[in-house]
Amino acid sequence: MSSTYPNRINCILRTLLLLMLIGFLFTCIVVCRAATPTVPDVAGALKRSDSYRNGWPSYVLNVKITSFESGKPGEVKLYEVSQKGTEKTYVEFMSPREKGQHLLMLGDDMWVYLPDTSRPIRITPLERLSGDASNGDVARTNYAADYTPSYVRTEKVGAEECYVLDLAAKRKGATYQRILYWLRVQDDRPVKAEFYLTSGKLIKSATFDEFLTVAGHPQLRRLTLHDEIRHNSSSVLEYSGIAPRELPDKLFYQGRTDRF
Amino acid sequence: MNPRLLIPAILLAAAMQLAAQETPAPSASTQATANQDNAAQDAPPPESRRDLRYSLAVIDDATLYSNLQAPLPNVHNQFLIEPTLTLRYKPRWSFSTSLIGVADRYTGAFTQLRVKEAYAGLSAGDFDFMLGRRMVRWGTGYAFTAAGVLDPPRMPTNPTDRLNLNEGRDMVKADYVHGPQALTVAWSSAALTPAAAGLHDTTAFRYNVLVHGFDTALIAGHDRGGDSFGALAFTRVLGEAFEIHGEAAWREQAAILLGGKFTTPSGITFIGEFFTPPNIPYFQNPALCPLDGRQHYLFVSAYKNRLRELPHWKQWDLAASAVANLNDRSYTAVFDATRRFGNHFSSYLHIEVPSGSSKSQYGATPYSAATSIGLRFQL
């Protein structure tokens, strides 16, 4: 009898020790998981986020850009954008002062047609950055084709958990050299972005304000660009008339000289 | 299995299962937001069979000539109305016209209606056909052109045709466009052009291709009663800020154009061009003597649109340029300023100042300065 009592105590103590060890391991797993963020598939997330602005392989849409200065609305610009794949973009300028102009992007090559010159003029990437909302903000919206993403962190923006991606330009046709991009964790929907030049200077920031569903595809409806150089300036981009279309390759010919 | 190990094994398995869980369940607020997004639905608009596009420009221009050395008025007034209309039916048929109504008061008062463009087009697969009057520019230069065999006259002091007074040529044209390549055949008639224009019936071929960033065109043709010609033109962008362009043409003798463009990070653009035409009837300038031989020209320009970095200058565009004849060392300096008002109006100032000896090309200009101010309305 005296020999079984210590054995029983030992058994109970061993079991207790084992339970404490399991409990400790369990706690470590939970704590470490909370401390270490899950690294998302950044390339896949970026591609999915592009689908909110490029819902189909070939489509058209209208863009209205309203500039604001100290909160007061100013100039309004209108564009018709035709996009085919990730490399071909044709933008027709529809504002009264710019009617007849168009912009063509074929990969890294760009032309602008001015009715005064009656011919397409080759332009450089730097020439494309004009105005509060640049032509690149309108025409170049496929970030997966132009940027290499890397994961930075996960953080909350308002009530929304977001991945923060650092996008580095991988081609000279990219509008900005670097973008910090916030994507909603649950569905990779863009939430906000910061745009940087080659010098590292923050030039603009954007908030993706409103979305709507078109033919089953959630699409961006409204985007606000904030000028980080002149802080009282901003532009609101409103997208409408989004529709899939079969677009002929002739529309994207670099020598096209039709005024409209 | 030892029963004493069963409980810890179950606990360990539960811990591993918990660690393997992925994304958290959406919170109530994000679920509500998602529902709100999905509630906003829009059907894609149907494709329209007919498409009408139009624009209207109204320009009131006044030019003051300083030290005018000819018995002419100092002030030249022009009022121009320029409607443009394009009608497309499905993607196949199109009709386009661009008219210029001019009310001119200089030596007398007259009004005139000019047809800048009026043509009908048919698109069939990769082919496009066109009949009528059309502006065609095959040259790649800004102030000059050697390869622009169907181009309207290019004035180096007014390369963008500020008042849109250039007219197209009457022609039949066929294009075959396949990807980045295009083959164009054009026959242009000079029957309706004034004899003083010096134009001939022209047959021309053009092959245009984009390869490795070079936008290149090969041109060949013949002027009835004149010369046969051949030409090459190209443009290329280098890096983020540089563009180069050039033309080489052969018509009795060679004409060469080389140019480049550079844009700074602050948005200022510089253009430079060198042009050397032979002094043959096709390239001859009325201000030059036919015995003057080959000429050499230089064009330089600097401009910035939308001076957004300066407070209250966002609606301004500024440009300065100069064109020089290197043979006789004469030149004309040009300054342009444009100010936009709202979405429809703009005003401009255009100043030309020629300089050089009285026998030189630009020095022979019969005024010391021409200052134009104008108001433009666009719809």
Side-chain angles (χ1 to χ4, degrees):
Chain A
M1 189 165 179
S2 61
S3 64
T4 58
Y5 182 72
N7 287 341
R8 188 183 290 176
I9 295 293
N10 282 338
C11 189
I12 291 171
L13 286 174
R14 278 201 293 269
T15 306
L16 196 62
L17 194 62
L18 192 58
L19 286 173
M20 287 174 65
L21 185 64
I22 290 168
F24 176 71
L25 284 172
F26 175 74
T27 307
C28 282
I29 289 167
V30 170
V31 168
C32 288
R33 185 174 178 278
T36 305
T38 307
V39 179
D41 168 23
V42 291
L46 187 61
K47 204 169 179 183
R48 283 188 292 275
S49 77
D50 279 345
S51 69
Y52 288 93
R53 291 192 288 176
N54 304 277
W56 298 270
S58 174
Y59 65 92
V60 297
L61 61 87
N62 299 324
V63 184
K64 177 182 170 186
I65 302 179
T66 307
S67 299
F68 289 84
E69 199 85 26
S70 302
K72 293 179 189 172
E75 198 173 1
V76 175
K77 291 191 171 185
L78 304 168
Y79 304 90
E80 276 191 14
V81 181
S82 302
Q83 178 86 31
K84 187 169 184 176
T86 59
E87 300 284 302
K88 299 180 182 178
T89 310
Y90 176 77
V91 181
E92 199 165 341
F93 294 53
M94 303 302 293
S95 309
R97 243 207 310 274
E98 297 173 325
K99 262 188 197 176
Q101 292 184 35
H102 25 102
L103 174 74
L104 174 69
M105 292 186 177
L106 296 175
D108 293 335
D109 300 309
M110 289 161 281
W111 294 259
V112 64
Y113 174 86
L114 303 174
D116 291 348
T117 59
S118 300
R119 69 177 179 93
I121 297 174
R122 201 82 181 262
I123 61 172
T124 61
L126 276 179
E127 283 184 279
R128 197 178 47 181
L129 283 176
S130 62
D132 301 302
S134 70
N135 296 327
D137 295 312
V138 175
R140 204 86 184 194
T141 59
N142 203 302
Y143 290 167
D146 292 344
Y147 296 91
T148 303
S150 59
Y151 173 76
V152 178
R153 61 183 180 270
T154 301
E155 68 179 25
K156 270 201 169 179
V157 177
E160 313 212 14
E161 197 78 8
C162 296
Y163 295 130
V164 183
L165 304 187
D166 191 319
L167 308 184
K170 60 182 177 184
R171 57 195 302 180
K172 67 176 182 182
T175 308
Y176 305 99
Q177 282 303 300
R178 179 174 166 250
I179 301 175
L180 268 186
Y181 203 28
W182 280 256
L183 303 181
R184 204 160 73 169
V185 166
Q186 66 183 74
D187 55 6
D188 299 315
R189 197 179 82 173
V191 174
K192 69 174 193 175
E194 291 176 356
F195 304 97
Y196 295 83
L197 297 176
T198 315
S199 58
K201 190 175 186 180
L202 174 63
I203 184 172
K204 291 180 197 172
S205 62
T207 54
F208 299 81
D209 303 321
E210 203 178 309
F211 293 81
L212 83 165
T213 302
V214 177
H217 290 76
Q219 295 292 288
L220 179 65
R221 171 76 174 84
R222 183 181 147 116
L223 164 79
T224 303
L225 284 171
H226 304 275
D227 191 333
E228 296 294 337
I229 296 175
R230 298 176 61 232
H231 294 280
N232 60 347
S233 288
S234 65
S235 301
V236 173
L237 283 71
E238 293 171 273
Y239 301 88
S240 64
I242 307 166
R245 288 275 187 270
E246 286 294 322
L247 297 170
D249 283 338
K250 264 193 309 190
L251 181 66
F252 305 97
Y253 165 54
Q254 71 276 5
R256 191 160 180 259
T257 55
D258 297 321
R259 185 182 285 252
F260 293 123
Chain B
M1 189 180 182
N2 191 333
R4 293 192 191 118
L5 299 176
L6 188 58
I7 294 172
I10 290 171
L11 286 172
L12 188 60
M16 290 172 66
Q17 181 65 24
L18 195 63
Q21 276 181 6
E22 288 293 337
T23 54
S27 66
S29 61
T30 53
Q31 188 66 43
T33 306
N35 287 342
Q36 240 177 352
D37 298 339
N38 292 335
Q41 304 246 354
D42 203 358
E47 193 168 1
S48 158
R49 294 176 70 159
R50 273 188 295 268
D51 190 20
L52 176 69
R53 304 285 173 98
Y54 67 91
S55 69
L56 176 70
V58 179
I59 305 171
D60 192 359
D61 181 273
T63 301
L64 170 69
Y65 298 104
S66 305
N67 298 326
L68 191 57
Q69 291 156 27
L72 295 167
N74 285 358
V75 181
H76 183 190
N77 272 116
Q78 295 180 88
F79 184 79
L80 303 103
I81 299 177
E82 298 169 357
T84 302
L85 184 111
T86 296
L87 176 65
R88 287 189 190 280
Y89 180 69
K90 291 185 181 178
R92 188 161 295 225
W93 298 96
S94 65
F95 173 74
S96 185
T97 185
S98 180
L99 305 174
I100 310 166
V102 183
D104 191 299
R105 176 177 292 187
Y106 191 41
T107 54
F110 71 90
T111 56
Q112 192 179 48
L113 179 67
R114 299 185 198 170
V115 178
K116 184 184 175 96
E117 290 187 317
Y119 63 90
L122 167 65
S123 182
D126 289 343
F127 290 89
D128 287 326
F129 303 95
M130 176 246 120
L131 169 68
R133 178 170 293 186
R134 177 92 187 250
M135 287 276 280
V136 169
R137 286 189 187 253
W138 287 352
T140 59
Y142 288 84
F144 312 102
T145 184
V149 295
L150 296 175
D151 290 18
R154 200 165 295 194
M155 290 183 59
T157 54
N158 183 23
T160 60
D161 188 21
R162 189 169 51 82
L163 298 179
N164 294 321
L165 291 173
N166 279 334
E167 295 174 31
R169 289 189 64 169
D170 304 320
M171 65 176 70
V172 178
K173 188 161 74 76
D175 296 279
Y176 171 72
V177 180
H178 188 71
Q181 303 180 77
L183 181 63
T184 302
V185 177
W187 179 78
S188 172
S189 170
L192 298 178
T193 59
L199 296 177
H200 303 267
D201 292 352
T202 302
T203 306
F205 300 85
R206 178 176 184 255
Y207 172 68
N208 175 222
V209 63
L210 177 68
V211 58
H212 295 302
F214 280 93
D215 187 4
T216 310
L218 291 169
I219 299 164
H222 177 75
D223 284 341
R224 198 174 81 146
D227 309 311
S228 294
F229 53 82
L232 168 72
F234 76 93
T235 63
R236 179 78 157 89
V237 167
L238 303 170
E240 288 195 350
F242 286 95
E243 180 262 7
I244 56 171
H245 55 274
E247 298 177 23
W250 182 269
R251 186 192 285 261
E252 293 183 40
Q253 298 177 45
I256 306 287
L257 167 75
L258 281 174
K261 181 167 64 173
F262 171 70
T263 305
T264 67
S266 58
I268 302 173
T269 300
F270 299 90
I271 299 175
E273 285 187 351
F274 171 75
F275 179 54
T276 173
N279 199 3
I280 58 174
Y282 180 81
F283 290 107
Q284 193 168 48
N285 191 298
L288 295 174
C289 172
L291 300 176
D292 281 348
R294 177 175 288 275
Q295 300 296 299
H296 302 83
Y297 295 94
L298 182 67
F299 171 80
V300 292
S301 174
Y303 63 88
K304 181 169 168 69
N305 296 334
R306 305 179 69 85
L307 306 178
R308 52 192 295 269
E309 292 82 8
L310 299 174
H312 311 298
W313 284 81
K314 184 177 164 184
Q315 301 299 338
W316 287 86
D317 301 339
L318 294 180
S321 61
V323 56
N325 184 321
L326 300 178
N327 288 47
D328 59 26
R329 296 179 187 169
S330 65
Y331 67 89
T332 297
V334 181
F335 173 75
D336 287 284
T338 304
R339 209 292 190 189
R340 287 179 294 281
F341 301 93
N343 291 324
H344 297 278
F345 288 92
S346 59
S347 64
Y348 61 83
L349 170 69
H350 174 84
I351 302 174
E352 293 182 21
V353 181
S355 178
S357 73
S358 58
K359 294 180 182 176
S360 65
Q361 179 176 351
Y362 295 110
T365 310
Y367 51 81
S368 62
T371 305
S372 301
I373 56 173
L375 186 64
R376 183 192 295 257
F377 168 79
Q378 284 167 275
L379 188 65

